[in-house]
Amino acid sequence: MHQLPRTGRLHPFTVLVLAAAVVAITTAAGRWWLHTAVLAGCLLLAARAKRAGKLVRLGAVILVPAWGSHLLIHGLIDTGGGHVLAAAGPLRITTEGLVTAGQLGLRTGVLVVAGLLCSMLIDRHDLVAAVDLSSAPPQAGYLLAATLSLLPRLAQRQRAIGQAQALRGIPLAAGPRGWWRSVRLRSVPLVLSSVQDAADRSAYLAARGFPAKGAHTRLREVPDSPAQCWVRRVALGAMVLGPVALLAPTWVGQG
Amino acid sequence: MSRGNPLFEVELERFRYSGDGDDTLAGIGLSLEAGSLTVIVGDSGSGKSTLGAVLCGMLPRHDGEELEAVFEIQGQTIRHGTGKSVRIDPVGWARHVGMLPQDARHYLSGVRETVAEELAVGLENAGVPRAQMHARITALAHRLGLGELLDRDPETLSGGQERLVALAALTLDGAPVLILDEPLAGLDAAASARVAALLQQLRAEGTALVLLTRAVDGSVDGADHMLRLRAGRCESVPGEQISIPRNEVSAPDRRHSPGTAALLEFSAAELGYPGSAASAVTGLDLLVHAGECVGLAGPNGSGKSTVLKTAAGLLNLRAGVLRQGTKRGAGVGLLLQNPADQLFERTVHREVAFGLPRSTAVKIPEVLESLGLAGTGETHPYELPAAARRLVALATVLIRRPALLLLDEPTEALDAGGLEVLRAVIGKVLDRGGAVLIASHDEGFLIGVAGRIHRMQPVAQAAR
Ligand SMILES: Nc1ncnc2c1ncn2[C@@H]1O[C@H](COP(=O)(O)OP(=O)(O)OP(=O)(O)O)[C@@H](O)[C@H]1O
Ligand SMILES: [Mg+2]
């Protein structure tokens, strides 16, 4: 259920900062082999957490359309490049265009895959607790908790509505047509009941002190260690200084 | 603890929902001293839940709602009147007056992973240090027998467990005045006793309790004030004269003799929920014949609802055998424990008509009438009192004339009139040769309607 793989008890911020540093440096370096290595590394980490399949599936859902549009814009109808490989009407395929499309594709790939990997490795409850316990404004944690629980809550409501409808003789979805039918039947009740549910609960949430206005504590302990603290600092430094170091020579060259 | 000097005083002139032609509440005065217990008894629809919401500052919520009242709380006077609406700061108010809603699920925040964290919410937002939170939660969970649930996901609790957790959370949130709407509904005998003891202790510590209830039960012993609510008007009932009937036990109805055809048979069955490794029920043997009414009893979390859901085809069997006299799913009707899980349409009529062929839909007015719901067709189910809402859910089941009727805690929230309707419904199903299986904590009711009672054990115990 909620047993997300605990990556050797990492603090959510450690995962986030590391991912951000890796993405920043690879993007700044702009080397295809580095991008490929990072993508492979992400897959490896996902495989260790038994989430490789999911990463590939979700990644494909986001990346295939993105890559398609890169290819369309830069690869097939490039207007700038000189090495024309083929041309027919508005279509103009150039080496430069294909290279640009490939570079952009790799860049988006790293961003998306690293982001997805983070979302799979970080327990959302740990993340909320980490924000609550950090020096972020007191409302931030609640806002995050409410946002992150939105989808699971909707999924739960829609399961309940599906069961209620099954009790009225509407078969549970089977096949694409059944799926479409159930989406149609459930969507309006889902919206109405979510609004109702929010109204029912909001008064009690406020009564229990949400969102916290001042100093607050958390029962949950977020895994952390002095070593991780250092890793975060180093990664944060690398995230800022890495790209600067990589890009500075090109600026100097230009200037 | 100082009695005699009120924590909370209320002079409620009147309250009216927007668009309503009539006042829902009128002429109610309350004075709550520290450590006092005030019981407000009323039938379904008499205005108990509205009164509770007004007392804890959740009503008026919209501009159209009219409240004329004076509250005096901790030396502050708050005046509501026509023309000027006072916006109550919910957090400030809730520090003084806390409320356990009738649907206890609403009290839970739903944004925490475990029961322990859910219990901690109020303490966390008040900035209580972790060690202290931990100690208080463990101690209270132990008192209420919730120890084993602390690591569970709050979304996967049984109905009774949910109420107990909500009550524990409310207690920890620590308001000096607590309003409890049917706190014992759906709790087993042991849990009821623990809650009653907890309420006694809270009183001893100076908490003022207001109990909203439709039937007088164990939780009202030693009440300081008894009030009866009728159509939103309050009358005080002096202590000695009180003779409100306890949930009465009627003589069993033995008109029906079971036939030989089995409509439902579990043997050596193991039941559980997808996504949870542990089984909720093991080694279940249960046989229900046509023409028979069987009760299903057992402590909270022993798996009564799980059995009914499996029989209705909502859950799959993990092991063992399930035989049904009717086609799987067809001919079986289930009334869920929480009507909120069963209702999803905008009006009562649309609700009952959902998924029906036209030929059956013409019978809707007749079914509504037989359940005492005539005239509610165009109402939103959520605007109905809890008892009527449960009966609407029942109507969605009855309109299909199930051969096997499964009822999960059907008596919860029903008043005497509702119980009468329910008995008639059960009688009719048996008359036409169907069978009824009822899961309930209401022993009196079960003894009255069921030919026999199947008792369930919690899984851990059964395994030993
Ligand atoms: N959706 C769910 N997922 C996982 N476990 C669940 C779920 N719902 C209930 N359970 C667990 O299954 C067990 C049986 O629950 P069930 O609701 O059948 O109990 P019950 O006898 O109906 O209790 P009550 O008297 O409180 O209604 C309990 O331990 C409960 O916590
Ligand atoms: Mg139940």
Side-chain angles (χ1 to χ4, degrees):
Chain A
M1 279 176 306
H2 291 274
Q3 249 70 78
L4 281 173
R6 296 247 165 153
T7 43
R9 312 288 292 161
L10 281 185
H11 191 283
F13 290 171
T14 312
V15 180
L16 283 177
V17 174
L18 276 176
V22 167
V23 169
I25 292 174
T26 20
T27 308
R31 297 278 187 288
W32 67 266
W33 51 265
L34 189 57
H35 282 100
T36 327
V38 169
L39 285 177
C42 286
L43 260 178
L44 215 69
L45 282 176
R48 266 197 47 192
K50 300 207 167 50
R51 289 284 193 280
K54 196 172 172 197
L55 181 65
V56 170
R57 242 176 304 130
L58 283 178
V61 167
I62 303 176
L63 285 175
V64 167
W67 282 343
S69 73
H70 289 328
L71 199 64
L72 206 70
I73 294 168
H74 300 285
L76 299 183
I77 46 176
D78 183 53
T79 47
H83 292 87
V84 182
L85 298 174
L91 285 186
R92 192 163 173 274
I93 302 178
T94 62
T95 322
E96 289 85 348
L98 285 181
V99 169
T100 317
Q103 279 174 344
L104 269 178
L106 278 175
R107 241 181 250 177
T108 0
V110 166
L111 192 68
V112 168
V113 169
L116 284 175
L117 184 64
C118 281
S119 77
M120 283 172 202
L121 295 184
I122 296 175
D123 180 326
R124 72 182 160 99
H125 296 283
D126 272 349
L127 180 61
V128 170
V131 171
D132 273 334
L133 293 171
S134 73
S135 49
Q139 294 87 352
Y142 175 65
L143 215 63
L144 187 68
T147 314
L148 292 182
S149 66
L150 200 64
L151 277 184
R153 173 70 61 82
L154 280 179
Q156 157 115 18
R157 278 301 315 159
Q158 96 114 19
R159 258 199 311 279
I161 292 170
Q163 294 203 335
Q165 295 182 341
L167 289 176
R168 319 263 182 100
I170 307 296
L172 290 169
R177 283 192 55 199
W179 178 82
W180 173 241
R181 186 180 141 87
S182 75
V183 167
R184 208 164 38 80
L185 284 177
R186 289 178 200 180
S187 49
V188 173
L190 183 61
V191 172
L192 292 178
S193 78
S194 304
V195 171
Q196 182 72 42
D197 193 55
D200 285 338
R201 289 185 195 243
S202 65
Y204 296 99
L205 285 173
R208 300 184 73 190
F210 273 129
K213 295 209 172 52
H216 55 279
T217 49
R218 283 301 304 265
L219 182 70
R220 194 186 189 90
E221 286 180 77
V222 186
D224 202 1
S225 60
Q228 280 193 55
C229 215
W230 270 104
V231 170
R232 284 202 290 277
R233 271 187 214 150
V234 171
L236 209 62
M239 184 174 90
V240 177
L241 298 179
V244 172
L246 282 164
L247 294 175
T250 59
W251 296 333
V252 172
Q254 280 163 2
Chain B
M1 159 182 109
S2 66
R3 289 228 179 172
N5 124 20
L7 277 179
F8 187 30
E9 269 186 295
V10 182
E11 274 314 320
L12 197 157
E13 205 68 49
R14 60 187 202 89
F15 174 80
R16 180 182 296 201
Y17 282 105
S18 57
D20 232 359
D22 219 350
D23 292 339
T24 303
L25 301 174
I28 298 174
L30 292 177
S31 171
L32 311 177
E33 300 100 30
S36 65
L37 172 62
T38 306
V39 177
I40 299 178
V41 193
D43 278 348
S44 172
S46 60
K48 286 176 313 226
S49 296
T50 306
L51 178 59
V54 169
L55 293 182
C56 71
M58 288 179 188
L59 285 176
R61 199 161 28 176
H62 308 295
D63 281 341
E65 287 159 348
E66 297 167 27
L67 173 65
E68 280 177 51
V70 182
F71 299 112
E72 223 156 305
I73 186 160
Q74 313 244 312
Q76 268 183 322
T77 306
I78 299 167
R79 238 171 255 282
H80 285 268
T82 39
K84 59 182 165 120
S85 71
V86 193
R87 280 267 166 258
I88 293 179
D89 160 31
V91 182
W93 192 266
R95 256 202 296 277
H96 302 306
V97 187
M99 160 116 180
L100 179 74
Q102 189 162 24
D103 188 349
R105 185 187 292 181
H106 293 155
Y107 197 77
L108 304 180
S109 74
V111 296
R112 294 291 189 250
E113 187 178 23
T114 65
V115 168
E117 287 182 274
E118 181 62 61
L119 292 180
V121 161
L123 300 177
E124 289 177 341
N125 287 337
V128 175
R130 181 178 289 144
Q132 204 180 326
M133 272 197 280
H134 195 79
R136 284 169 67 179
I137 289 170
T138 323
L140 183 64
H142 184 72
R143 284 206 61 162
L144 288 177
L146 290 174
E148 295 188 350
L149 296 181
L150 284 180
D151 289 328
R152 289 274 298 273
D153 174 359
E155 307 274 328
T156 66
L157 299 177
S158 80
Q161 291 167 340
E162 213 167 40
R163 188 176 302 272
L164 218 47
V165 169
L167 190 67
L170 177 70
T171 311
L172 285 167
D173 292 348
V177 179
L178 293 184
I179 297 161
L180 311 171
D181 200 344
E182 304 275 2
L184 300 187
L187 296 188
D188 62 37
S192 299
R194 290 197 196 106
V195 170
L198 174 72
L199 297 184
Q200 287 301 338
Q201 188 205 334
L202 286 173
R203 285 180 68 188
E205 290 165 4
T207 307
L209 299 178
V210 178
L211 218 83
L212 307 171
T213 178
R214 83 206 118 90
V216 176
D217 53 27
S219 59
V220 308
D221 293 338
D224 296 301
H225 310 286
M226 277 275 203
L227 301 169
R228 186 179 309 175
L229 206 56
R230 260 199 206 126
R233 276 59 176 177
C234 228
E235 38 192 270
S236 170
V237 192
E240 300 76 43
Q241 290 178 18
I242 210 151
S243 66
I244 300 163
R246 301 203 168 221
N247 267 350
E248 90 278 22
V249 178
S250 58
D253 179 355
R254 298 268 180 249
R255 274 180 302 150
H256 308 278
S257 51
T260 46
L263 283 188
L264 178 71
E265 181 179 4
F266 282 102
S267 56
E270 189 174 327
L271 318 178
Y273 290 84
S276 113
S279 288
V281 176
T282 52
L284 172 71
D285 294 301
L286 175 66
L287 183 60
V288 181
H289 287 110
E292 188 181 30
C293 178
V294 179
L296 200 56
N300 292 126
S302 57
K304 302 180 294 295
S305 303
T306 312
V307 169
L308 298 188
K309 284 182 185 169
T310 312
L314 294 182
L315 293 173
N316 289 322
L317 211 61
R318 287 198 170 169
V321 186
L322 165 60
R323 265 188 288 271
Q324 278 173 323
T326 58
K327 260 186 282 151
R328 177 149 173 84
V332 180
L334 167 61
L335 175 72
L336 291 171
Q337 185 163 8
N338 190 336
D341 289 333
Q342 195 142 24
L343 303 177
F344 52 84
E345 274 285 6
R346 277 159 280 177
T347 67
V348 169
H349 188 276
R350 291 178 63 109
E351 194 74 69
V352 184
F354 182 87
L356 279 187
R358 215 169 283 264
S359 54
T360 324
V362 296
K363 299 214 185 87
I364 294 174
E366 188 191 319
V367 169
L368 289 182
E369 169 109 50
S370 74
L371 293 173
L373 294 169
T376 59
E378 293 315 309
T379 319
H380 194 300
Y382 275 86
E383 286 166 8
L384 293 172
R389 216 177 307 147
R390 190 172 297 273
L391 292 175
V392 171
L394 185 57
T396 69
V397 176
L398 290 180
I399 189 98
R400 295 184 160 71
R401 293 177 60 85
L404 174 61
L405 178 61
L406 309 168
L407 302 172
D408 201 348
E409 301 290 346
T411 62
E412 221 173 87
L414 295 193
D415 54 23
L419 290 178
E420 209 39 64
V421 167
L422 187 61
R423 282 198 198 94
V425 163
I426 294 169
K428 257 191 244 165
V429 173
L430 298 179
D431 280 343
R432 62 166 190 252
V436 185
L437 179 60
I438 312 175
S440 180
H441 292 288
D442 193 335
E443 285 277 334
F445 182 79
L446 281 188
I447 291 171
V449 297
R452 65 192 163 87
I453 298 180
H454 179 95
R455 294 192 186 275
M456 308 206 31
Q457 299 291 321
V459 159
Q461 235 169 294
R464 256 172 240 150

